[in-house]
C-alpha cells in the first residue's frame, strides 16, 4: 500500500479557499486517490476520488499532477462547518487490498 | 449514514467481559469492514469481509473476532475485553464496483472498558 503524508493541521478563515496537499511517492499504477472528511464522533464521509488530472464535484476539487506522486484537495470558500479532519487514502479496488487511514489533516475554519 | 447502522452506540463494560458490536446495512453491498479509532488517530482496520464466506484479518485483529451472518450483517466480538480496547469502533461497507473503493461508514460505537 502506498504510504501518504499530509499536514497534521491547518487553519483557515471563512470564505477562503483551502488546499490540502497529500504526498504519495510510492503510488502504484492502479491506485486511486480518495479523500474523506470526518467530523468529531462521526464516521468518515467520502468527499472525492480521482486517478489523474482534475476531478470536481459539488463539494471539492482534486488536482493530481502527471506523476501522481501527490494530490491536492481544494475546498472552495470554506465555512465553519468545514472544520473537520480530512484523510487522503491511496489504494485500488482489488481483492485483499484496503485503504489505510493515516492521522489526517485537522482543518480549523475560523470566523 | 442511516443505510449503515451500528448497535449499541455506546457501551461501558468491565475487563474480561465478552462484548459484541453489531453492524447492519441496507445498501446491498458485498464488502464490510470493522475499524477502530483512538483519540487523535486515524482509523485502523480490524477485519474485513468481501462476501459471506470470506473473512480476512486486518492490521489489528488480535483480541477480536468477527462473524458475517448474512450479506447485510457483520458482527465484531471482543472475547475478553481489556482496557486498551477502549476506542471508537466503526463499521463500513463498499460495493464491488471497479475503480477505487468508496466506503460508507456507520455512526460508530463508543466502547469503554473499565
Amino acid at each position: 500500500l502506498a504510504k501518504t503524508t499530509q499536514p497534521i493541521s491547518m487553519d483557515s478563515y471563512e470564505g477562503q479557499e483551502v488546499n490540502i496537499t497529500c504526498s504519495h511517492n510510492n503510488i502504484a499504477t492502479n491506485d486511486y486517490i480518495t479523500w474523506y472528511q470526518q467530523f468529531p464522533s462521526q464516521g468518515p464521509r467520502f468527499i472525492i476520488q480521482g486517478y489523474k488530472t482534475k476531478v470536481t464535484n459539488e463539494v471539492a476539487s482534486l488536482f493530481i499532477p502527471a506523476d501522481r506522486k501527490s494530490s491536492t484537495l481544494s475546498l472552495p470558500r470554506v465555512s465553519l462547518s468545514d472544520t473537520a479532519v480530512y484523510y487522503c487514502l491511496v489504494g485500488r479496488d482489488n481483492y485483499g487490498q484496503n485503504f489505510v487511514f493515516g492521522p489526517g489533516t485537522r482543518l480549523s475554519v475560523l470566523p | 449514514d442511516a443505510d449503515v447502522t451500528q448497535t449499541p452506540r455506546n457501551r461501558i463494560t468491565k475487563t474480561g467481559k465478552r462484548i459484541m458490536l453489531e453492524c447492519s446495512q441496507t445498501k446491498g453491498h458485498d464488502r464490510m469492514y470493522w475499524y477502530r479509532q483512538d483519540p487523535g488517530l486515524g482509523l485502523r482496520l480490524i477485519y474485513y469481509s468481501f462476501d459471506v464466506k470470506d473473512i480476512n484479518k486486518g492490521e489489528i485483529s488480535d483480541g477480536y473476532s468477527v462473524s458475517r451472518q448474512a450479506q447485510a450483517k457483520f458482527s465484531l466480538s471482543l472475547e475478553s475485553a481489556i482496557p486498551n480496547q477502549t476506542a471508537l469502533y466503526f463499521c463500513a461497507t463498499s460495493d464491488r464496483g471497479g475503480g477505487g473503493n468508496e466506503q460508507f461508514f456507520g455512526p460508530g460505537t463508543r466502547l469503554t472498558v473499565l
Side-chain angles (χ1 to χ4, degrees):
Chain A
L1 293 172
K3 180 179 178 181
T4 61
T5 303
Q6 52 184 121
I8 294 299
S9 64
M10 294 180 68
D11 291 337
S12 182
Y13 291 95
E14 280 191 294
Q16 289 187 334
E17 178 185 73
V18 171
N19 295 308
I20 305 175
T21 297
C22 179
S23 297
H24 28 80
N25 291 320
N26 297 322
I27 189 168
T29 302
N30 295 328
D31 285 344
Y32 279 74
I33 301 159
T34 310
W35 286 80
Y36 284 80
Q37 174 192 56
Q38 185 181 26
F39 298 112
S41 298
Q42 294 186 25
R45 182 175 71 101
F46 172 90
I47 300 177
I48 197 166
Q49 181 175 265
Y51 183 79
K52 62 181 180 180
T53 63
K54 176 183 175 182
V55 179
T56 297
N57 62 22
E58 65 278 6
V59 176
S61 294
L62 178 59
F63 298 93
I64 306 168
D67 66 6
R68 304 200 328 122
K69 295 183 181 297
S70 67
S71 59
T72 299
L73 174 71
S74 181
L75 304 173
R77 298 179 298 282
V78 295
S79 64
L80 296 176
S81 63
D82 291 316
T83 293
V85 178
Y86 293 83
Y87 298 97
C88 166
L89 290 84
V90 174
R92 59 188 181 275
D93 184 17
N94 195 7
Y95 190 88
Q97 296 297 318
N98 304 279
F99 282 170
V100 176
F101 285 82
T105 297
R106 186 173 300 275
L107 173 66
S108 297
V109 179
L110 308 173
Chain B
D1 191 333
D3 296 326
V4 183
T5 58
Q6 294 183 232
T7 56
R9 295 295 311 280
N10 290 282
R11 182 71 183 268
I12 299 174
T13 190
K14 295 182 178 180
T15 297
K17 294 292 187 180
R18 183 178 187 274
I19 295 295
M20 178 179 286
L21 309 183
E22 299 185 341
C23 176
S24 295
Q25 53 111 349
T26 59
K27 300 188 76 68
H29 288 167
D30 290 319
R31 302 177 176 182
M32 299 187 73
Y33 311 79
W34 275 106
Y35 293 89
R36 68 173 278 175
Q37 185 172 36
D38 296 284
L41 301 179
L43 282 72
R44 291 184 290 170
L45 183 65
I46 306 173
Y47 270 96
Y48 62 100
S49 169
F50 279 12
D51 65 45
V52 175
K53 298 180 180 180
D54 176 73
I55 302 290
N56 301 280
K57 293 182 177 181
E59 179 187 355
I60 53 165
S61 59
D62 287 348
Y64 301 94
S65 63
V66 291
S67 173
R68 184 80 184 267
Q69 301 94 322
Q71 185 202 37
K73 296 184 181 299
F74 193 35
S75 300
L76 176 72
S77 294
L78 288 67
E79 296 300 326
S80 179
I82 55 177
N84 74 3
Q85 290 177 315
T86 293
L88 191 54
Y89 289 85
F90 290 104
C91 173
T93 74
S94 71
D95 202 356
R96 188 185 294 273
N101 186 11
E102 179 180 352
Q103 296 189 9
F104 297 84
F105 285 80
T109 294
R110 186 171 298 280
L111 176 66
T112 302
V113 183
L114 302 177

